[in-house]
Amino acid sequence: AQTVTQSQPEMSVQEAETVTLSCTYDTSESDYYLFWYKQPPSRQMILVIRQEAYKQQNATENRFSVNFQKAAKSFSLKISDSQLGDAAMYFCVSSGNTPLVFGKGTRLSVIA
Amino acid sequence: DVKVTQSSRYLVKRTGEKVFLECVQDMDHENMFWYRQDPGLGLRLIYFSYDVKMKEKGDIPEGYSVSREKKERFSLILESASTNQTSMYLCASSLLKVEKLFFGSGTQLSVL
């Protein structure tokens, strides 16, 4: 069974600064995907970034990037130039041959 | 634009009532999912379906059932609602089994 662990229940960052959210996962699949989803106060889940496990290159989406360490089964999210709109719950997600498995989430606060 | 619609945003029910949570997607997706979200627990999979008339149990199916008579509609049924089923319920769909999920905006269910 897949598991996803987010060890930071809450984090905060100053506006315009950089923050990194941690995630580790465990899977027996050889081919899988990893995702970061964001859930703002509106409750709508929004895909932030996606990484295919077979790709060595770390995915980036504008101010969001990941550090994917396959051997260590680590998948952290870096948010650069943090904005007030980045305040949300962030979920790390793993997907193999089974439905997506979610971590427990990290609540990110952005301080003006 | 793609859309997953959940019939109610907020719902209040009495213990013992039969509750139906409806979810409709307009993207012709094969795969549909029901998750439950509780603070500190992340999202947990209740049931999923990879095809019409097909359903599979997720991690926490007890006390729930589902119906998928048409491709676009996936209903979650609480046969006899209990207070421990008070939660946020999220429906999602995807084109491929391991691909990005598209989420509805959630139903906050309170069982009194």
Side-chain angles (χ1 to χ4, degrees), chain A residues 33 35 37 39 41-47 50 52 89 91 95-105, chain B residues 9-10 33 35 37 40-43 45 48 50 88 90 97-108:
Chain A
Y33 291 81
F35 307 84
Y37 276 85
Q39 187 182 42
S42 68
R43 304 185 332 200
Q44 185 65 51
M45 294 285 278
I46 301 165
L47 179 64
R50 185 186 87 161
E52 290 96 334
M89 182 71 85
F91 293 99
S95 173
N97 275 327
T98 56
L100 273 62
V101 175
F102 286 73
K104 294 183 178 181
Chain B
R9 192 156 174 87
Y10 298 96
F33 308 84
Y35 286 90
Q37 182 179 7
L41 296 179
L43 274 70
L45 183 65
F48 61 101
Y50 287 152
M88 169 76 75
L90 288 163
K97 288 183 183 180
V98 297
E99 251 294 347
K100 167 188 174 179
L101 290 178
F102 292 85
F103 282 89
S105 54
T107 295
Q108 180 64 53

Side-chain angles (χ1 to χ4, degrees), chain A residues 28-65:
Chain A
S28 57
E29 306 285 347
S30 57
D31 188 19
Y32 54 92
Y33 291 81
L34 297 165
F35 307 84
W36 279 96
Y37 276 85
K38 166 186 175 180
Q39 187 182 42
S42 68
R43 304 185 332 200
Q44 185 65 51
M45 294 285 278
I46 301 165
L47 179 64
V48 175
I49 201 163
R50 185 186 87 161
Q51 174 81 44
E52 290 96 334
Y54 65 87
K55 288 187 177 178
Q56 291 188 340
Q57 187 172 5
N58 288 326
T60 63
E61 286 287 341
N62 302 314
R63 298 182 295 107
F64 298 87
S65 62

Side-chain angles (χ1 to χ4, degrees), chain B residues 30-32 47-52 54-55 68 74:
Chain B
E30 298 288 341
N31 313 307
M32 296 189 75
Y47 267 96
F48 61 101
S49 170
Y50 287 152
D51 199 357
V52 177
M54 176 267 186
K55 59 187 178 185
R68 193 165 182 204
F74 192 37

